[in-house]
Amino acid sequence: MSWRPQYRSSKFRNVYGKVANREHCFDGIPITKNVHDNHFCAVNARFLAIVTESAGGGSFLVIPLEQTGRIEPNYPKVCGHQGNVLDIKWNPFIDNIIASCSEDTSVRIWEIPEGGLKRNMTEALLELHGHSRRVGLVEWHPTTNNILFSAGYDYKVLIWNLDVGEPVKMIDCHTDVILCISFNTDGSLLTTTCKDKKLRVIEPRSGRVLQEANCKNHRVNRVVFLGNMKRLLTTGVSRWNTRQIALWDQEDLSMPLIEEEIDGLSGLLFPFYDADTHMLYLAGKGDGNIRYYEISTEKPYLSYLMEFRSPAPQKGLGVMPKHGLDVSACEVFRFYKLVTLKGLIEPISMIVPRRSDSYQEDIYPMTPGTEPALTPDEWLGGINRDPVLMSLKEGYKKSSKMVFKAPIKEKKSVVVNGIDLLENVPPRTENELLRMFFRQQDEIRRLKEELAQKDIRIRQLQLELKNLRNSPKNC
């Protein structure tokens, strides 16, 4: 029997990447040179946020999407962190709320004013302190409002209830730095990759590890849940140091379903999955390629479609949510590519070629919208609910009416699982050490003065008592 190539019909077989014109790019941005393996970019239907290179702390830019072209060097920044910003994520339900985490061990919540920043923003709506070392990742819960996850270099994942501004749970099952966090569709399961070469599926409310894979042959870096398929996809490095992807059954991580070599380059592979089109995008850090595949529930599971090539290497990629896409142009995905050497942010649209100008219902099914399915109390109480879906045909440009209200917090110890997370947190920089030293000196001086005054008062009271005992009335 002669060998014949397998052809499969797919509506996404001819998807192509289209780079925006130079006037629709964002130019003149001092993109951070930090080597931390994150995207340093977050985008939603209204704003683009990029972590920038800065001295004396961490900062990031927030630019309205319509404000394309060259950005002024003195453009206002969000600059309240005392260390480098390592990750930023927009709230999926409130367009102008963004979370950031930093080397200064804090997570902060910021409210961006309408129309963008007019001056530097230094005061956060909420400062969250609970990690004892720098915080490398933040992720919003996909269906619940005001639930935020943060992963630190203290090997812990904290779950924050922003309604009260406190951590409500600590996941403490990792033995090394957490590299990646991904949720399933309803947020009832969490998967993580870790430097200890293990892939874990965790029930976030209990912190229980449901499945664990020891990936010695396929060293995992990044992981993503494939919608409701009950599959996980990981990117990593094979034993021969080639870039590799692996597909796993989330209920049995003993062996990957398939492993596929990609190439021999050394940069990290970032996976992006679109549950509406069942398309997987693989973008290499440090190269300009974006490969895309179609995923199915039956063998061969992964079907290669095409590759977008560019000579400009990418440091990271932001992804536009579905409700921010241009459906009239049959756009199914949009990247915002960080080109560090040029200080450029370049939108790349993935387009399905169609001749008709009408709404293409087959490539735009109902998709998760901007309304949360649960409140924090409901989710913490054990309820799971699928996302609230919306159609992209009518009214998808409507912004959410939800407003974030920061809780009024009193300074106190942060106790989770019986451990005070803020106890004995060491200073991280020389300046911080000096500030702490001078604060302690002032406190010691104040306490000495208070002690001296109390000694004088004690002596006065002793004399009064002695006089009372020796007075003639008591004889």
Side-chain angles (χ1 to χ4, degrees):
M1 184 177 168
S2 62
W3 179 87
R4 296 184 182 200
Q6 288 187 342
Y7 292 104
R8 38 190 310 281
S9 64
S10 167
K11 62 186 86 165
F12 304 110
R13 207 166 104 196
N14 297 312
V15 168
Y16 66 96
K18 182 181 178 184
V19 181
N21 297 331
R22 191 64 185 243
E23 60 266 23
H24 293 119
C25 296
F26 301 84
D27 201 358
I29 295 170
I31 300 166
T32 180
K33 294 182 175 66
N34 196 312
V35 294
H36 187 71
D37 283 331
N38 261 350
H39 294 295
F40 300 112
C41 177
V43 64
N44 65 15
R46 288 172 61 193
F47 297 109
L48 171 69
I50 312 106
V51 178
T52 59
E53 190 68 16
S54 63
S59 64
F60 59 95
L61 286 172
V62 176
I63 307 165
L65 281 185
E66 62 273 8
Q67 196 175 326
T68 54
R70 189 156 192 85
I71 304 300
E72 294 298 320
N74 57 352
Y75 193 87
K77 297 179 175 71
V78 179
C79 50
H81 281 288
Q82 290 156 358
N84 290 328
V85 175
L86 298 180
D87 198 14
I88 47 176
K89 293 281 165 53
W90 289 104
N91 186 321
F93 309 116
I94 311 174
D95 278 346
N96 64 336
I97 298 294
I98 189 168
S100 63
C101 63
S102 164
E103 289 181 351
D104 66 9
T105 75
S106 73
V107 177
R108 302 190 188 206
I109 311 298
W110 309 86
E111 183 176 26
I112 307 302
E114 294 292 324
L117 299 175
K118 305 297 180 210
R119 61 183 67 84
N120 283 353
M121 181 179 277
T122 56
E123 291 296 319
L125 266 184
L126 207 52
E127 288 186 27
L128 307 172
H129 296 277
H131 289 282
S132 59
R133 296 182 67 189
R134 60 182 172 167
V135 189
L137 291 169
V138 283
E139 286 288 346
W140 295 90
H141 192 274
T143 61
T144 309
N145 190 35
N146 286 348
I147 290 286
L148 183 73
F149 289 66
S150 63
Y153 276 59
D154 52 6
Y155 314 156
K156 294 175 176 59
V157 177
L158 292 185
I159 306 175
W160 303 87
N161 180 356
L162 302 188
D163 280 356
V164 294
E166 297 290 347
V168 289
K169 181 68 191 171
M170 179 170 69
I171 299 171
D172 191 11
C173 59
H174 299 89
T175 58
D176 210 324
V177 176
I178 299 145
L179 301 173
C180 183
I181 291 176
S182 179
F183 293 97
N184 66 345
T185 307
D186 64 2
S188 61
L189 292 177
L190 171 76
T191 180
T192 62
T193 57
C194 182
K195 267 194 177 176
D196 63 10
K197 299 177 185 174
K198 288 185 179 177
L199 171 68
R200 294 174 175 88
V201 176
I202 301 165
E203 204 291 310
R205 282 168 295 217
S206 66
R208 192 159 52 95
V209 179
L210 304 178
Q211 289 286 328
E212 186 175 278
N214 205 344
C215 309
K216 288 183 178 175
N217 296 333
H218 166 76
R219 297 199 302 276
V220 290
N221 285 319
R222 292 291 180 272
V223 62
V224 64
F225 262 105
L226 301 180
N228 287 324
M229 289 186 179
K230 295 197 172 180
R231 299 276 191 273
L232 301 171
L233 185 124
T234 58
T235 67
V237 182
S238 73
R239 64 171 77 178
W240 297 281
N241 282 337
T242 57
R243 295 200 292 193
Q244 189 182 49
I245 58 174
L247 189 69
W248 307 77
D249 182 342
Q250 76 178 39
E251 293 173 352
D252 180 13
L253 298 185
S254 56
M255 281 287 289
L257 297 173
I258 55 165
E259 288 180 345
E260 189 168 316
E261 305 283 327
I262 301 298
D263 57 31
L265 298 178
S266 59
L268 187 72
L269 271 180
F270 292 117
F272 303 90
Y273 180 66
D274 180 5
D276 296 344
T277 60
H278 304 299
M279 282 178 69
L280 170 76
Y281 300 86
L282 295 178
K285 183 178 180 179
D287 59 75
N289 304 334
I290 301 173
R291 298 171 177 83
Y292 35 107
Y293 300 77
E294 196 166 9
I295 296 205
S296 60
T297 51
E298 298 169 358
K299 288 185 178 181
Y301 303 120
L302 273 173
S303 303
Y304 176 77
L305 294 172
M306 217 180 287
E307 183 175 358
F308 168 83
R309 290 173 178 252
S310 165
Q314 56 226 4
K315 184 178 181 67
L317 293 157
V319 173
M320 174 64 76
K322 277 285 179 173
H323 60 275
L325 299 179
D326 183 2
V327 296
S328 63
C330 296
E331 184 183 33
V332 290
F333 215 73
R334 190 192 304 162
F335 294 101
Y336 283 77
K337 172 178 169 176
L338 276 63
V339 186
T340 313
L341 298 175
K342 299 179 183 177
L344 185 71
I345 312 294
E346 197 175 58
I348 302 169
S349 298
M350 310 309 291
I351 292 171
V352 179
R354 295 276 172 101
R355 290 182 181 177
S356 173
D357 292 334
S358 60
Y359 179 72
Q360 306 293 310
E361 212 151 336
D362 60 327
I363 62 173
Y364 295 116
M366 297 285 282
T367 191
T370 56
E371 297 297 322
L374 294 166
T375 64
D377 290 340
E378 286 174 331
W379 184 77
L380 291 166
I383 299 172
N384 295 317
R385 206 170 285 158
D386 284 332
V388 178
L389 301 180
M390 67 189 293
S391 168
L392 300 185
K393 186 174 184 178
E394 293 172 0
Y396 72 96
K397 291 287 184 188
K398 288 179 185 172
S399 59
S400 173
K401 294 177 182 175
M402 299 197 66
V403 177
F404 181 81
K405 290 183 181 176
I408 299 167
K409 290 180 69 179
E410 294 177 7
K411 289 198 174 179
K412 58 181 179 180
S413 60
V414 178
V415 178
V416 177
N417 294 3
I419 301 168
D420 187 351
L421 300 175
L422 296 182
E423 188 180 11
N424 300 325
V425 176
R428 293 163 294 280
T429 63
E430 190 177 340
N431 285 339
E432 201 171 323
L433 183 65
L434 284 170
R435 280 201 301 270
M436 189 177 284
F437 171 75
F438 289 127
R439 272 203 305 270
Q440 287 177 345
Q441 291 299 308
D442 290 340
E443 181 71 7
I444 289 167
R445 197 177 301 113
R446 187 184 65 76
L447 289 170
K448 279 182 177 176
E449 288 172 3
E450 197 175 314
L451 196 60
Q453 288 172 355
K454 286 186 176 175
D455 280 343
I456 293 167
R457 181 63 181 148
I458 287 167
R459 283 199 294 273
Q460 285 175 345
L461 290 169
Q462 283 174 338
L463 282 170
E464 285 177 18
L465 188 62
K466 193 174 180 182
N467 290 337
L468 281 169
R469 282 177 179 163
N470 296 334
S471 64
K473 290 180 184 177
N474 294 331
C475 294

